[in-house]
Each structure stands twice: as structure tokens, then as C-alpha cells.
């Protein structure tokens, strides 16, 4: 939420209650569950972690730069990654108790497909790593040149990417793309959607996918500090 922190429901979303004890930044951009731990990425104060379903929070920002906007969180083999748009990708190192920068990527979006970590730049397309961020490969085969990646979603070997563009750019930049090989190559996958649809969110179920779209052309990049 924007300035309302984290909300909790135990009746399938009929009612909601704030669970913000210790959460000193209530502009929450991302959430992630890893085992029994809940992580919240915030707009200015980095990452918070809760071990009791969000009823209390502890700041976990050692190693992160000041004013860390955590646009997305992901976990690969138990390791947590935080995407700080314009400031890079960071990995939480449990033994050292701090975040460590991983490579030179600057992701807005993160996804995990099998053993592959994917990052989406906005603009700049997709980059993939098969060794937890030590080496990055260009994953833009089949995507528009310098595509602004607005959202990523993955299930097993398959990945979906929503791209956006600025008003006046080639409309082919905007759309929904799918990958069958963990983000190493892509094909357009928006047949049946309204023309100019920009995919901005996904829900992946067992037998189908839901996609949230906007038919307007959002800016290619959000505000970043």
C-alpha cells in the first residue's frame, strides 16, 4: 500500500487490519514469503522482515544504500534478493548479516524460473543469471530493442514479461511476451488482448493465467531516487 503499510486478512479478504508494528516506512512496494519469514520492501527504508505473519517487523537494511526503494523481492534456493530500481540488485547474506550488491544490473522487476534469476530493466529489457547473480547474460532475444519491462512472472521453465512505452514510441514495444526457456528467448504472446495493451500484473494458476492490463501508455520508468 501507499502509506498504509501492510494489511492482514484471515477471512479471504472480506476484512483487513493493519499489521505495522515496527514498520517505520508504510509505503510498501513489494512483499515476499520465504518459509515462515515475510519480507516487505519499502520506499525509503529498505527491507523489513517479520517472523510472525506481519504482526511485528524488524528493519533489515544493513548494506543497502540510503533511501533504498525496494521495487521487488525474490528468493532463489533460500537466498533473498532485493531489486532497487536505479541502485542495483542486492543479495541478503545470512552469515554476514547484510545486503551485498550483485553485479551491475539495475532491476525494476525480479523473477525466478527454476535455477535462473531474471531481472527486468525499465528501459533495457531482461538479463538472466544461472549462478545467483555472479554472471549475467543478455536475455533480450525476441524482445523489442531496449524494451521497458514493467512486470515479470514465472512458473517452472516459463516466464512472462509485460512491456510498456512512452507516448509516441513504436507500438510494437508495448505488449505481453512469453519465454519457454527461463527468459533466454521470447515470443509475443498477447493475441486476443486489446490493441496497445500493456501488461502490468500477473496471477499464475494451475490451468490458466490472469493478466492485468492498461491500454494507456504509462511512462517507461517510475520515479527513482
Amino acid at each position: 500500500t501507499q502509506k498504509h503499510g501492510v494489511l492482514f486478512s484471515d477471512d479471504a479478504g472480506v476484512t483487513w487490519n493493519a499489521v505495522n508494528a515496527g514498520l517505520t516506512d508504510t509505503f510498501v512496494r513489494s512483499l515476499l514469503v520465504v518459509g515462515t519469514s515475510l519480507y516487505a520492501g519499502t520506499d525509503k527504508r529498505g527491507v523489513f522482515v517479520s517472523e510472525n505473519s506481519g504482526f511485528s517487523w524488524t528493519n533489515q537494511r544493513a548494506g543497502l544504500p540510503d533511501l533504498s526503494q525496494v521495487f521487488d523481492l525474490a528468493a532463489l534456493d533460500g537466498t533473498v534478493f532485493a531489486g532497487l530500481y536505479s541502485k542495483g540488485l542486492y543479495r541478503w547474506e545470512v552469515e554476514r548479516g547484510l545486503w551485498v550488491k550483485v553485479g551491475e544490473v539495475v532491476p525494476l522487476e525480479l523473477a525466478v524460473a527454476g535455477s535462473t534469476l531474471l531481472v527486468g530493466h525499465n528501459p533495457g529489457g531482461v538479463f538472466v543469471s544461472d549462478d545467483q547473480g555472479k554472471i549475467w547474460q543478455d536475455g533480450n532475444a525476441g524482445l523489442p530493442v531496449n524494451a521497458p519491462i514493467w512486470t515479470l512472472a514465472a512458473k517452472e521453465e516459463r516466464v512472462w514479461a509485460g512491456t510498456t512505452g512512452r507516448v509516441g514510441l513504436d507500438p510494437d514495444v508495448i505488449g505481453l511476451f512469453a519465454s519457454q526457456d527461463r527468459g533466454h528467448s521470447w515470443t509475443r504472446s498477447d493475441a486476443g488482448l486489446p490493441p496497445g495493451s500493456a501488461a502490468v500484473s500477473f496471477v499464475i494458476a494451475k490451468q490458466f493465467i490472469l493478466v492485468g492490463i492498461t491500454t494507456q501508455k504509462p511512462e517507461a520508468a517510475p520515479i527513482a531516487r
Side-chain angles (χ1 to χ4, degrees), residues 46-178:
V47 178
F48 290 76
V49 62
S50 173
E51 302 295 345
N52 56 9
S53 301
F55 288 95
S56 63
W57 297 88
T58 301
N59 198 198
Q60 193 181 84
R61 61 175 175 175
L64 293 178
D66 293 337
L67 299 177
S68 293
Q69 291 178 302
V70 183
F71 276 81
D72 207 2
L73 294 160
L76 176 58
D77 296 331
T79 299
V80 178
F81 293 85
L84 280 60
Y85 181 66
S86 83
K87 293 187 178 180
L89 178 69
Y90 286 77
R91 176 183 63 233
W92 177 252
E93 296 197 354
V94 177
E95 294 182 357
R96 299 172 65 186
L98 81 167
W99 294 93
V100 176
K101 193 173 183 181
V102 182
E104 297 303 318
V105 291
V106 284
L108 175 72
E109 286 290 308
L110 308 178
V112 172
S115 60
T116 298
L117 178 65
L118 302 94
V119 300
H121 287 200
N122 192 324
V126 173
F127 294 86
V128 298
S129 174
D130 296 312
D131 57 7
Q132 294 207 347
K134 295 176 183 177
I135 299 174
W136 291 92
Q137 305 171 49
D138 186 299
N140 290 308
L143 289 176
V145 175
N146 210 31
I149 304 299
W150 197 259
T151 186
L152 286 171
K155 183 176 178 62
E156 299 173 349
E157 300 284 304
R158 301 185 67 185
V159 190
W160 294 265
T163 63
T164 64
R166 294 183 187 275
V167 174
L169 284 185
D170 186 339
D172 289 341
V173 171
I174 302 170
L176 172 59
F177 295 80

Side-chain angles (χ1 to χ4, degrees), residues 139-223:
N140 290 308
L143 289 176
V145 175
N146 210 31
I149 304 299
W150 197 259
T151 186
L152 286 171
K155 183 176 178 62
E156 299 173 349
E157 300 284 304
R158 301 185 67 185
V159 190
W160 294 265
T163 63
T164 64
R166 294 183 187 275
V167 174
L169 284 185
D170 186 339
D172 289 341
V173 171
I174 302 170
L176 172 59
F177 295 80
S179 171
Q180 305 285 344
D181 56 6
R182 295 174 286 124
H184 292 78
S185 63
W186 301 84
T187 56
R188 184 172 285 274
S189 184
D190 50 10
L193 294 179
S197 295
V200 295
S201 62
F202 295 104
V203 173
I204 302 175
K206 289 183 178 180
Q207 301 297 328
F208 58 87
I209 303 168
L210 299 178
V211 57
I213 64 169
T214 173
T215 54
Q216 297 179 350
K217 301 181 179 69
E219 293 298 308
I223 297 173

